[in-house]
Amino acid sequence: MNRYDMLQCPMQADSSADSAQYRVTLFFGPEPVEAHPSTQACVFNVKKRSWKGGIQVLVEATEAQIDASRTSIHFSQWLTEALGDATGEERAAQEARASELFVQALCRCRLDRLLQAGITQENQRLTADAWNAQEHADLIKRRDFIRAYVAAEMDLQPGDPTPT
């Protein structure tokens, strides 16, 4: 299973009927937003079962929002424990990959909120300035999902912090 499949499978918001209406895959990201170097974005392909075609949704998050989210869910502490004894270049590469995966999961959480509210069949952009306190609170509730996504993508097994 590749990373795009993983976004589709374990990145479901919940088992509600609303989220089951959509098939979501990561198209690309995170990448810096042009003209906003402190903002990262991921683009997702979204297909609702009743639509004839899919749409693309660009989801943004600023570095400050990403850092605040990492702190709120204690991601850095979790990652330190998950990586165990890895050192040097190997650890740096794993930390960089984990950061990329964290942003993907964060953007997916933002997208899930949008999908729960309902969207129209047109390409959309969820800007970083649309971020609010309730969204941040909801993200904290999805801490386990974010950690599980990163762990699965990095092949980190419980009790075995060394990636395979």
Side-chain angles (χ1 to χ4, degrees), residues 17-34:
D18 289 339
S19 63
Q21 294 181 36
Y22 299 97
R23 186 180 72 235
V24 178
T25 54
L26 176 69
F27 186 56
F28 68 86
E31 291 187 358
V33 174
E34 200 170 306

Side-chain angles (χ1 to χ4, degrees), residues 36-37 48 57 68 73 89-90 95 102 112 119 127-128 136 139:
H36 299 283
K48 190 173 182 179
V57 181
I73 68 165
E89 289 181 25
E90 178 186 354
E95 287 174 346
F102 178 85
D112 287 342
I119 60 173
T127 61
H136 186 78
L139 181 77

Side-chain angles (χ1 to χ4, degrees), residues 44-61:
F44 297 90
N45 289 322
V46 178
K47 170 75 170 71
K48 190 173 182 179
R49 295 188 192 285
S50 63
W51 295 344
K52 291 185 181 203
I55 63 169
Q56 290 188 337
V57 181
L58 182 134
V59 182
E60 298 177 347

Side-chain angles (χ1 to χ4, degrees), residues 36-40 60-73 102-103 106 110 128-129 131-132 136 139:
H36 299 283
S38 66
T39 302
Q40 296 287 314
E60 298 177 347
T62 66
E63 292 297 332
Q65 292 163 340
I66 294 165
D67 291 343
S69 298
R70 286 175 66 99
T71 300
S72 295
I73 68 165
F102 178 85
V103 175
L106 173 73
R110 295 198 71 213
D129 62 359
W131 187 283
N132 61 41
H136 186 78
L139 181 77

Side-chain angles (χ1 to χ4, degrees), residues 82-129:
L83 294 179
D85 296 334
T87 58
E89 289 181 25
E90 178 186 354
R91 185 177 196 90
Q94 291 172 342
E95 287 174 346
R97 178 69 178 136
S99 291
E100 178 181 284
L101 294 167
F102 178 85
V103 175
Q104 289 175 2
L106 173 73
C107 288
R108 178 58 197 262
C109 290
R110 295 198 71 213
L111 175 60
D112 287 342
R113 283 181 47 87
L114 180 65
L115 295 177
Q116 288 172 353
I119 60 173
T120 57
Q121 189 179 1
E122 59 190 17
N123 292 343
Q124 299 184 31
R125 181 179 198 147
L126 182 55
T127 61
D129 62 359

Side-chain angles (χ1 to χ4, degrees), residues 73-91:
I73 68 165
H74 308 287
F75 185 77
S76 295
Q77 294 90 329
W78 171 82
L79 184 61
T80 297
E81 291 173 17
L83 294 179
D85 296 334
T87 58
E89 289 181 25
E90 178 186 354
R91 185 177 196 90

